[in-house]
Amino acid sequence: MAYSIIDTHAHAYDRRFSDEALAMKERAKAAGLCAVCLPNVDEESLEPLLSLHQSDPAFFPAMLGLHPCSVGSNPQEQLEQLWSMAKGKAPWIAVGEIGLDLYWDKSQLKQQQEALAWQINQAKQMELPICLHTREAHQETVDLIKSEKRPEKGGVFHCFTGTVEEAKQVLDLGFYLGIGGVLTFKNSQLKAVLKHVGVEHLVLETDSPYLAPVPHRGKRNEPAYTALVLEFLAESLGISREKLAETTTRNAQHLFHLDLNPA
Ligand SMILES: [Zn+2]
């Protein structure tokens, strides 16, 4: 393989992979992946996440976080419980995925904000970057990060699909943009937006098993498809795959302080 790439966001522990986790990993390696980062969702995802992480800690680095759509009525208690379940279980690379999601239910904004603020403060204490999920809540998320004072270790807006203006806000925070399969969708504006953003601000991801890139759109996504995102992005930016792979891998290593297996 001419390059080495990192999937910075994959729910590879999802039960949709459970009967073929090894094959999924082999396909990822064959596609040039040197690491697949695992974002946590809630109390239930923690155990499958940890078991995949422990099968190969360097290849499957783990994050700890509570997804905005999993925030309940008492965020503080829920988060303390999740953190105590997770304590000492892995060398966490980030707090994630965390954020605000107003797509499904706007009535939970207050609880989501409370959970996000709590987790940003944990990230600061743990000296970790954050992995953000925002949906129809970009401005609210940026405002909250600013009000809590930006975590020193930075972070990434995972599955970024915003405007040039929104991309600029992310760069102003010193955060990265996570680019995945949405880029390959026919009517996506992202291709045009990314022409205004330097590759030094980008990391690759799949968000497996969701958001599969073309030509697998609508089917189960998997870490190996990071290579399709790389190909599509390299072509739309007019740079070589090797150059883009090198830059985005360096960005991901810098963001998450990854300790990679020698290839
Ligand atoms: Zn995710």
Side-chain angles (χ1 to χ4, degrees):
M1 187 56 62
Y3 50 73
S4 183
I5 52 180
I6 297 176
D7 185 350
T8 59
H9 194 109
H11 303 270
Y13 52 83
D14 188 276
R15 62 188 142 70
R16 271 163 272 193
F17 296 108
S18 54
D19 55 346
E20 54 132 29
L22 256 175
M24 174 266 295
K25 181 181 166 189
E26 287 315 311
R27 288 194 296 273
K29 286 188 155 174
L33 279 282
C34 60
V36 175
C37 305
L38 309 177
N40 190 49
V41 174
D42 56 24
E43 301 86 338
E44 264 143 53
S45 61
L46 188 62
E47 203 188 295
L49 180 149
L50 282 168
S51 107
L52 185 62
H53 162 71
Q54 281 149 8
S55 74
D56 190 341
F59 193 78
F60 290 116
M63 306 183 201
L64 172 61
L66 181 67
H67 190 288
C69 295
S70 297
V71 173
S73 54
N74 190 342
Q76 166 107 17
E77 191 184 297
Q78 189 183 5
L79 284 160
E80 279 168 5
Q81 200 193 341
L82 178 64
W83 251 250
S84 80
M85 282 164 70
K87 198 165 188 211
K89 295 272 171 68
W92 307 106
I93 57 157
V95 172
E97 61 181 294
I98 63 177
L100 302 175
D101 189 321
L102 299 180
Y103 179 78
W104 300 106
D105 186 359
K106 291 183 177 45
S107 72
Q108 294 299 305
L109 178 61
K110 220 177 129 278
Q111 286 86 344
Q112 289 187 10
Q113 284 168 323
E114 187 185 330
L116 178 56
W118 192 94
Q119 294 182 96
I120 289 175
N121 281 303
Q122 281 296 316
K124 290 185 192 175
Q125 284 172 35
M126 297 162 86
E127 298 186 8
L128 291 175
I130 58 178
C131 170
L132 287 160
H133 165 110
T134 95
R135 198 168 181 196
E136 312 222 330
H138 177 86
Q139 196 58 51
E140 290 86 346
T141 306
V142 169
D143 290 346
L144 194 143
I145 294 169
K146 286 185 172 161
S147 75
E148 292 297 318
K149 298 225 175 57
R150 177 193 169 280
E152 301 73 32
K153 300 291 177 186
V156 54
F157 277 65
H158 124 74
C159 192
F160 179 80
T161 55
T163 62
V164 173
E165 205 37 60
E166 288 170 339
K168 286 202 173 119
Q169 288 183 310
V170 173
L171 305 196
D172 283 345
L173 289 169
F175 281 34
Y176 290 94
L177 304 176
I179 305 301
V182 172
L183 177 74
T184 69
F185 296 176
K186 206 169 178 185
N187 44 18
S188 167
Q189 303 298 308
L190 191 56
K191 231 165 70 170
V193 169
L194 292 183
K195 295 203 160 91
H196 300 270
V197 179
V199 287
E200 65 275 21
H201 304 293
L202 308 181
V203 294
L204 305 175
E205 63 168 63
T206 59
D207 204 13
S208 302
Y210 316 107
L211 297 171
V214 171
H216 306 288
R217 188 172 179 181
K219 308 213 183 80
R220 185 188 72 179
N221 197 1
E222 64 170 73
Y225 298 165
T226 311
L228 297 174
V229 178
L230 174 82
E231 284 169 25
F232 197 93
L233 184 58
E235 192 158 319
S236 65
L237 295 176
I239 60 175
S240 75
R241 291 172 191 178
E242 288 74 17
K243 177 80 197 143
L244 183 62
E246 188 194 311
T247 309
T248 53
T249 296
R250 192 178 343 109
N251 293 346
Q253 280 186 274
H254 179 257
L255 171 64
F256 294 132
H257 294 276
L258 298 176
D259 191 12
L260 298 173
N261 279 332

Coordinates of all heavy atoms in Angstrom, one line a residue, residues 9 11 39 97 158 207, ligand 1:
H9 N -13.2 8.1 13.0 CA -14.5 8.0 13.7 C -15.3 6.9 13.1 O -15.9 7.0 12.0 CB -15.3 9.3 13.4 CG -16.5 9.5 14.3 ND1 -16.6 10.4 15.3 CD2 -17.7 8.8 14.3 CE1 -17.8 10.3 15.9 NE2 -18.5 9.3 15.3
H11 N -17.9 3.5 14.4 CA -18.5 2.7 15.4 C -18.3 1.2 15.0 O -19.3 0.5 14.7 CB -20.0 3.0 15.6 CG -20.2 4.5 15.9 ND1 -20.3 4.9 17.2 CD2 -20.3 5.6 15.1 CE1 -20.4 6.2 17.2 NE2 -20.5 6.7 16.0
P39 N -15.4 6.1 18.7 CA -16.1 7.0 19.6 C -17.2 6.3 20.4 O -17.9 5.4 19.8 CB -16.8 8.0 18.6 CG -17.0 7.1 17.3 CD -15.9 6.1 17.3
E97 N -18.2 10.5 21.4 CA -18.6 11.7 20.7 C -19.6 12.5 21.6 O -20.6 11.9 22.1 CB -19.1 11.4 19.3 CG -20.4 10.6 19.2 CD -20.8 10.3 17.8 OE1 -21.2 11.3 17.1 OE2 -20.7 9.2 17.3
H158 N -16.7 16.3 14.0 CA -16.9 15.1 13.2 C -18.0 15.2 12.2 O -19.0 15.9 12.5 CB -17.0 13.9 14.1 CG -18.2 13.0 14.0 ND1 -18.3 12.2 12.9 CD2 -19.3 12.9 14.7 CE1 -19.5 11.6 13.0 NE2 -20.1 12.0 14.1
D207 N -17.6 7.2 10.0 CA -18.8 7.1 10.9 C -19.5 5.8 10.6 O -20.8 5.7 10.8 CB -19.8 8.3 10.6 CG -20.7 8.6 11.8 OD1 -20.5 8.0 12.9 OD2 -21.7 9.3 11.6
Ligands
ZN1 ZN -20.6 8.8 15.4

